[in-house]
Amino acid sequence: EFHEYMGQRFKPHKIQVTLDASKEIQNLLFRYPEAVNILCQSFITTGFGGIIKNDDLRSQIAHVISTRSSRFEAYLAQFSEKEQRVLGALAQLHWVKQPSSKEFCSLAKLTPRGILWSFRKFLDHSVVEKLEDGYRIQDPLLFYYLRQTRRV
């Protein structure tokens, strides 16, 4: 479904995407439609030509993160320094099964109570989502931005 959509979107711009790259885009971007659209648009606006392969994806995601950094910083400004540290720790692990675990508390340098309070806020604001595998940052582009900028 995404592969067809991307193919139609790229066709007028003489860009093609392999099935493998299409699947990798979906995996890297958590099958999050808005992020897929943003990445596709980035390929178009940067004048990419030819066939998109897996090797092209990470550099294009890095480009998107770079061009949107002020937007991410403005969004993160609504959170305290401690909350941003929790988000940074979550981004480094990608998933956390139990936010109040000793490992996660140590990484975030906060108490279990502080972390759980932050997670409640993040869930209420749809910053973090809870899935079968645990908790993760919902927006994949924010996830990559935090991994790059909020090392803990």
Side-chain angles (χ1 to χ4, degrees):
E1 183 176 310
F2 272 114
H3 181 68
E4 271 183 50
Y5 167 76
M6 285 185 258
Q8 291 172 355
R9 182 136 190 227
F10 288 140
K11 191 174 184 175
H13 304 282
K14 297 183 176 29
I15 300 171
Q16 295 177 344
V17 61
T18 66
L19 183 58
D20 281 349
S22 172
K23 288 178 182 177
E24 187 66 9
I25 288 170
Q26 293 173 63
N27 291 335
L28 288 171
L29 300 179
F30 312 159
R31 301 185 185 286
Y32 193 67
E34 182 181 9
V36 171
N37 279 332
I38 290 168
L39 185 65
C40 288
Q41 186 61 34
S42 180
F43 274 109
I44 292 167
T45 57
T46 58
F48 185 89
I51 299 172
I52 297 171
K53 299 183 183 95
N54 287 0
D55 296 345
D56 304 315
L57 301 178
R58 294 204 189 276
S59 62
Q60 198 67 30
I61 288 172
H63 174 74
V64 169
I65 297 307
S66 172
T67 59
R68 298 173 71 86
S69 63
S70 61
R71 186 176 300 200
F72 290 126
E73 284 301 323
Y75 176 73
L76 290 169
Q78 70 180 307
F79 300 112
S80 71
E81 181 184 326
K82 289 178 182 179
E83 290 166 338
Q84 289 186 39
R85 205 165 54 223
V86 171
L87 287 172
L90 181 56
Q92 296 310 309
L93 294 178
H94 187 76
W95 291 96
V96 64
K97 194 81 160 163
Q98 184 54 259
S100 60
S101 70
K102 187 176 182 178
E103 175 192 11
F104 191 75
C105 290
S106 175
L107 186 61
K109 298 177 181 79
L110 287 172
T111 64
R113 182 178 175 179
I115 288 174
L116 291 176
W117 184 87
S118 294
F119 264 77
R120 268 185 247 133
K121 180 176 180 178
F122 298 150
L123 287 166
D124 286 346
H125 289 85
S126 299
V127 178
V128 168
E129 61 185 345
K130 185 178 192 298
L131 302 170
E132 286 180 23
D133 294 335
Y135 297 87
R136 73 172 180 191
I137 295 168
Q138 186 172 344
D139 178 347
L141 298 175
L142 177 62
F143 163 76
Y144 289 114
Y145 180 77
L146 288 166
R147 281 191 79 133
Q148 185 179 342
T149 62
R150 300 299 196 277
R151 295 239 175 242
V152 288

